[in-house]
Amino acid sequence: MIKATNLVKTFKTGDTKLTVLKGLDIDVKKGEFVSITGRSGSGKSTLLYQLGLLDHPDSGKIIIDGVEVSKLSERDRTGFRLMELGYVFQDYAIIPELTALENIMMPLLMKGFDMKKAEKQGREALSRVGLLDKQKNLPSQLSGGEQQRVSIARAIVHSPKIIFADEPTANLDAETAMVVMKTFLDLNREGQTIVMVTHEKEYADMTHRTLFLNEGILENK
Amino acid sequence: MFKFIKKRFFTDFKNSLRVGFFLALRQVKNSSKWTNFLIIGVMTLTFLNLVVVSGVLVGLIDGASNAVGKRFLKDIFISNLTEKKFILNTTEITEILRANPNVEGFSARYTEGGKIEANYKTKLRQDDIGDEVSAIFAGINPEDENKLTGIKSLLIEGEFINENDFDRVVLGSMLLDQYAKIESSSFPTLSGVGIGSKIRVKVGGYTREVTVKGIIKSKVDELDRRIFFPEKQFRNLIGRFDLNASEIAVGLKDGASPIEMKNYLNNLGFNEFAKIQTKEDAEPKFLKDIKKTFEILGNLISGIGLAVAAITIFIVIFINAITRRKYIGILKGIGVNARAIEIAYVFQSIFYALVGTIFGSILIFGFLKPYVDAHPINFPFSDGIIVATLSGTMMRVLVLFIATLIAGFLPARIVINRNTLDSILGR
Ligand SMILES: Nc1ncnc2c1ncn2[C@@H]1O[C@H](COP(=O)(O)OP(=O)(O)OP(=O)(O)O)[C@@H](O)[C@H]1O
Ligand SMILES: [Mg+2]
C-alpha cells in the first residue's frame, strides 16, 4: 500500500543544517496497522508529513496504492488526500467556526455528497468515537480529548485507503485513549490500513508492527 | 481506479462552490457582530458615495436645466433667426399652435436690448452718470406667460404687471444690488431700487421713466436679467406694430413629443422665419458643458470611494485570511481544494457588498431621493435633485461588485497559496 524508498529530508535554520530523514525506507502492506515510535525530535511527524503528502522530501520516492505521488501536482495532491488519505494531526486541527458534525462533514461535502448523506455518514463516524451527543458543539465547547476524537472521526469519515495518525492518544486520559485505540483496532479489523505515531509502548504493542525511528532511518523492533 | 486524476472539472467546481458557500456562511455567522457591522457600514457608505455624490452633482445641473425648461424655454423654443430681430409671420405660427391639440399653451415675447438707469435724480453734476445697467427688455402678455411658466410665483416683492399697466415694470433680481449673487464689474447692478422706485429706461431710441411694480427671482439667470413690460405698451415703445415676436415658448401636453412637434413646424416651412428648437437644443451650452464636467467629477469621486471600499475589503479579507491561516492549511490538508476556500472568501466579500448595496438602496430610494425630490436642495442656480436612474445605479452596483470580488479574491489567494504544511504549523 505504501512503499517509500530512500527518503531524505533536511531542514536549514540559518547556517545549521539538520538532516532528519537520512535515506529512510518504509513498506506498509494493505490492511496493516503499523506504529512508529522514536525519541521526541527524531522526525516522526516529519516522516508522516512526507507520507501524507503534506510535504515534499528532498529526494526519494513514495508510491501509495500504485501511484507515484511525488510526481503529482499540488492540486492533484490535494485531490489525493481527499480521496485516499485520512490524517489525524498531532494537535487536533479542527475548524473553530464549524460544529463537531460540520467539521467531520467537510471531506464528504468536498467529495460531492449531498447534505443529508454527509450528515448521516458524519454521525456514524461521530458515534464510532463516542461523540454523537456532542455533534452540535463548536470546538470551543469541547474538551481537548473530545476535539482529538472529532479529528479522528474526520480522518475516517470518508473511508480513506490509509489513515495517518500523529500521536492520536497523546492528549487523552487512559480511558479515552483506549476508546481511540479500540476504534483504530476495529477499523483495522475491517481492513483499514493505519500508520500511527506514538510514544507509548502500551499502544504500540497493540499494532501489528512497530518501527523505531532513529538517526534518520527506521529500525524494526 | 484513481478517479481524481481524471479532470472532473465541472463536478469539482460545483463541489468547490458548495463547500465555499458553506464555509462562507459559517464564517459570516460566527464572526464578530461588530466586524460585520463595520464592514457593512463601509459598504453602505461606499454605495451612497457611488450613487449620491454623482447623483447630486448631475442633479444640480439637471435642476438648473429643469428650471430653464420650466420657466423659460418650455418644450419648444421658437426664436428669431440670427440675422433678424424678430420672427417673421409670427401670427401664422401662433395660429397653427393655437389649433394644434398637442399644444398646452404658448407665450410670445417681444425682446430688445436696452439700458436702465437709477438714482439719476441724486447725481451731483449733469454729466455724472447714475447707476446704469444693460438689460434685456421683454414685452409679455402677463396672463399667457403666467399660464405657461408660472412667472407670478417667482415674485419676491410687489405685484406682477397687468396687461393694461402703463409705465409699470417688473425687474429681474439680478439687476438689483440687494439680490445680485456676485459682485462683478461685468454685471453691474442698480442700488437702492425697490418697489415704487422710479427708473429711467432707454430702449429703441426712447427714454422713459417707469415705476417698479414687482421683482422676480428665479433659478434662471436669463430671466433674472430681464425687465418685463406689458406687451401692449412695449410694442408701442419699440414700434413693433406687426405682432412679430422675438421668441415664442411653447408648452406641450403630457406625452406629446417635442421632436415631432419641431419636425412638424419645420415641415410647414417655419424654419425659414425662425429658429425652432427643442428644450435640449436651446439649452445654453454651458449647462451641457457643466453637466459633462460634473459627471466626470462625480465619477472621479465615486472612483475614489470605490478604491477605498476595495482596499477596505482587501484589508479585512487579508487580515481574516492571515489570522485563519492555520485553518486554511488544515482544510487543504484534509483535501478541501484551494478554489473552494477562495470561493468562501469571495462569497464573504460579495455578501458584504450585497448587504451594503441593499442598505444603501433602501436609504437612497426609500428616504434620500424622495426627500430631496420633495425638498430640492436650494442652490442659487438650481433646485438640486438627486439623479439616480435604475440603469445608472445598476451599473454602479455592478462595478462595486466586481471591485469587491477582486478585493476579496486577491488577498485570499495570496494566503491560500502558501504552503499547506507551513500554514498548519504556523511557520
Ligand atoms: N521547518 C523546520 N525547520 C527546522 N527544523 C525543523 C523544522 N521542522 C522540524 N524540524 C526539526 O526536525 C526535527 C524533527 O521534528 P519532528 O516534528 O518530526 O519530530 P517528532 O519526532 O515528531 O517529535 P515529537 O515526538 O516531539 O512530536 C526536530 O528536531 C525539529 O526541530
Ligand atoms: Mg511529532
Side-chain angles (χ1 to χ4, degrees):
Chain A
M1 190 59 120
I2 306 173
K3 190 167 173 59
T5 43
N6 210 10
L7 293 185
V8 176
K9 184 74 186 175
T10 305
F11 293 114
K12 286 186 204 78
T13 351
D15 287 338
T16 52
K17 272 194 191 172
L18 178 69
T19 304
V20 180
L21 306 180
K22 300 172 178 165
L24 176 147
D25 296 328
I26 183 171
D27 198 341
V28 178
K29 300 265 167 327
K30 190 170 190 307
E32 247 191 321
F33 189 174
V34 176
S35 55
I36 297 172
T37 60
R39 282 189 344 275
S40 178
S42 58
K44 303 182 295 295
S45 294
T46 305
L47 172 61
L48 223 54
Y49 294 143
Q50 315 304 315
L51 298 178
L53 305 201
L54 289 167
D55 203 2
H56 293 273
D58 299 329
S59 65
K61 197 162 149 189
I62 303 171
I63 296 173
I64 298 180
D65 205 9
V67 180
E68 179 162 358
V69 290
S70 22
K71 285 184 176 157
L72 294 180
S73 70
E74 204 48 54
R75 208 186 133 83
D76 285 340
R77 284 161 72 89
T78 307
F80 195 92
R81 287 197 296 269
L82 178 68
M83 305 309 272
E84 316 272 314
L85 310 180
Y87 207 103
V88 182
F89 293 91
Q90 193 163 358
D91 64 339
Y92 340 137
I94 52 181
I95 310 297
E97 302 95 24
L98 304 180
T99 63
L101 182 60
E102 287 166 348
N103 260 288
I104 291 163
M105 283 160 62
M106 274 335 284
L108 301 178
L109 292 178
M110 198 59 228
K111 273 176 119 173
F113 281 49
D114 66 52
M115 275 291 170
K116 279 241 171 63
K117 213 171 151 210
E119 275 177 18
K120 186 167 166 281
Q121 204 157 317
R123 282 201 196 95
E124 276 168 24
L126 263 183
S127 64
R128 276 206 103 119
V129 295
L131 269 184
L132 197 53
D133 53 331
K134 299 278 166 77
Q135 54 171 308
K136 294 228 169 76
N137 288 38
L138 288 169
S140 56
Q141 301 159 333
L142 294 171
S143 76
E146 288 168 338
Q147 292 186 47
Q148 180 67 305
R149 283 188 278 160
V150 169
S151 113
I152 291 165
R154 186 182 60 195
I156 62 175
V157 71
H158 54 306
S159 333
K161 294 230 167 73
I162 306 165
I163 292 172
F164 293 104
D166 196 350
E167 313 226 17
T169 55
N171 300 293
L172 307 181
D173 60 59
E175 207 176 315
T176 323
M178 265 323 288
V179 174
V180 168
M181 280 312 293
K182 228 179 96 30
T183 312
F184 281 141
L185 288 168
D186 286 348
L187 284 164
N188 178 246
R189 216 164 294 131
E190 292 160 26
Q192 180 73 58
T193 312
I194 303 170
V195 178
M196 177 181 80
V197 168
T198 184
H199 268 118
E200 282 147 290
K201 193 174 176 312
E202 186 193 348
Y203 301 130
D205 287 346
M206 294 180 185
T207 65
H208 296 154
R209 189 150 65 97
T210 302
L211 298 168
F212 186 67
L213 181 55
N214 189 29
E215 294 296 323
I217 52 166
L218 287 171
E219 297 161 2
N220 277 307
K221 253 193 128 182
Chain B
M1 173 116 184
F2 305 109
K3 284 183 237 135
F4 70 92
I5 291 180
K6 292 190 213 127
K7 293 270 176 332
R8 297 177 309 156
F9 181 79
F10 284 107
T11 38
D12 249 29
F13 189 72
K14 207 185 82 200
N15 292 340
S16 303
L17 213 64
R18 225 158 53 103
V19 171
F21 186 68
F22 185 80
L23 286 172
L25 221 64
R26 289 297 178 278
Q27 249 196 75
V28 171
K29 209 179 94 189
N30 287 312
S31 63
S32 127
K33 300 263 177 318
W34 282 105
T35 315
N36 282 338
F37 184 78
L38 272 172
I39 303 171
I40 290 169
V42 168
M43 295 313 286
T44 306
L45 290 176
T46 306
F47 182 76
L48 284 182
N49 185 3
L50 273 176
V51 176
V52 172
V53 172
S54 63
V56 167
L57 285 176
V58 174
L60 278 185
I61 304 307
D62 254 35
S65 105
N66 284 351
V68 173
K70 185 174 172 199
R71 302 296 186 193
F72 182 55
L73 298 173
K74 298 308 288 187
D75 301 310
I76 297 278
F77 189 68
I78 305 172
S79 54
N80 55 288
L81 294 172
T82 352
E83 64 274 15
K84 290 273 182 335
K85 274 189 147 178
F86 45 79
I87 305 163
L88 274 174
N89 300 329
T90 297
T91 41
E92 245 180 81
I93 299 179
T94 51
E95 261 163 45
I96 292 284
L97 290 175
R98 206 166 277 129
N100 191 303
N102 280 331
V103 173
E104 176 86 49
F106 62 89
S107 170
R109 305 173 188 138
Y110 303 81
T111 63
E112 186 85 39
K115 288 201 153 73
I116 309 171
E117 199 187 336
N119 308 322
Y120 42 86
K121 284 185 176 147
T122 53
K123 69 183 178 186
L124 296 172
R125 274 166 298 179
Q126 187 60 38
D127 43 340
D128 277 357
I129 20 175
D131 290 349
E132 193 180 73
V133 300
S134 299
I136 294 174
F137 286 60
I140 54 170
N141 177 318
E143 288 319 308
D144 286 354
E145 183 67 32
N146 187 50
K147 236 188 268 164
L148 188 70
T149 64
I151 194 168
K152 286 186 186 172
S153 68
L154 301 176
L155 268 180
I156 46 170
E157 274 188 61
E159 285 169 55
F160 207 72
I161 42 175
N162 298 320
E163 202 180 342
N164 298 315
D165 272 339
F166 199 79
D167 280 348
R168 280 143 87 75
V169 297
V170 168
L171 290 180
S173 59
M174 281 178 83
L175 299 169
L176 302 176
D177 210 23
Q178 65 270 36
Y179 295 117
K181 288 173 264 192
I182 31 163
E183 207 64 51
S184 149
S185 55
S186 54
F187 292 119
T189 50
L190 303 169
S191 56
V193 172
I195 301 300
S197 298
K198 297 250 189 279
I199 51 176
R200 209 184 261 164
V201 298
K202 298 175 184 166
V203 63
Y206 295 90
T207 302
R208 285 192 75 82
E209 192 178 65
V210 297
T211 309
V212 178
K213 188 177 182 189
I215 297 167
I216 60 158
K217 185 171 177 7
S218 73
K219 305 277 178 180
V220 184
D221 284 9
E222 183 77 30
L223 285 185
D224 287 357
R225 287 215 193 88
R226 287 189 167 194
I227 169 171
F228 296 91
F229 278 83
E231 171 211 344
K232 261 191 215 159
Q233 187 192 2
F234 191 65
R235 282 196 289 120
N236 279 322
L237 205 59
I238 61 171
R240 185 85 54 78
F241 303 108
D242 53 11
L243 287 174
N244 279 338
S246 317
E247 56 189 49
I248 309 170
V250 186
L252 299 182
K253 293 210 166 116
D254 282 348
S257 153
I259 293 177
E260 271 170 31
M261 179 58 76
K262 170 181 150 179
N263 292 339
Y264 168 73
L265 293 172
N266 278 337
N267 287 341
L268 289 174
F270 290 134
N271 52 348
E272 284 182 29
F273 322 123
K275 206 161 33 174
I276 300 167
Q277 295 172 299
T278 62
K279 182 179 94 182
E280 282 72 29
D281 300 335
E283 216 167 53
K285 186 175 173 300
F286 81 93
L287 270 186
K288 294 175 196 159
D289 290 346
I290 299 181
K291 207 183 222 166
K292 234 180 261 156
T293 312
F294 274 25
E295 256 165 21
I296 294 171
L297 211 63
N299 286 338
L300 205 73
I301 296 171
S302 299
I304 293 170
L306 199 66
V308 170
I311 292 168
T312 310
I313 289 278
F314 187 99
I315 293 172
V316 166
I317 296 288
F318 192 66
I319 290 175
N320 180 303
I322 281 283
T323 50
R324 301 188 71 266
R325 228 185 92 196
K326 180 180 165 73
Y327 306 115
I328 290 173
I330 292 163
L331 284 170
K332 282 165 71 189
I334 62 169
V336 174
N337 67 29
R339 170 156 302 125
I341 307 169
E342 282 161 13
I343 289 172
Y345 280 104
V346 168
F347 267 129
Q348 275 183 74
S349 25
I350 288 185
F351 167 80
Y352 291 128
L354 187 73
V355 177
T357 302
I358 292 171
F359 281 176
S361 299
I362 292 173
L363 274 177
I364 292 172
F365 294 102
F367 298 99
L368 221 51
K369 197 168 179 301
Y371 179 83
V372 176
D373 280 347
H375 313 271
I377 308 163
N378 188 9
F379 283 101
F381 56 90
S382 139
D383 286 324
I385 49 173
I386 296 175
V387 174
T389 57
L390 189 68
S391 62
T393 308
M394 290 307 251
M395 193 61 214
R396 279 150 204 281
V397 169
L398 192 74
V399 171
L400 181 66
F401 271 66
I402 292 172
T404 22
L405 205 135
I406 296 168
F409 174 75
L410 280 183
R413 193 185 177 100
I414 292 169
V415 177
I416 292 164
N417 275 351
R418 300 235 183 123
N419 178 287
T420 304
L421 189 62
D422 286 351
S423 300
I424 296 173
L425 300 177
R427 347 185 251 227

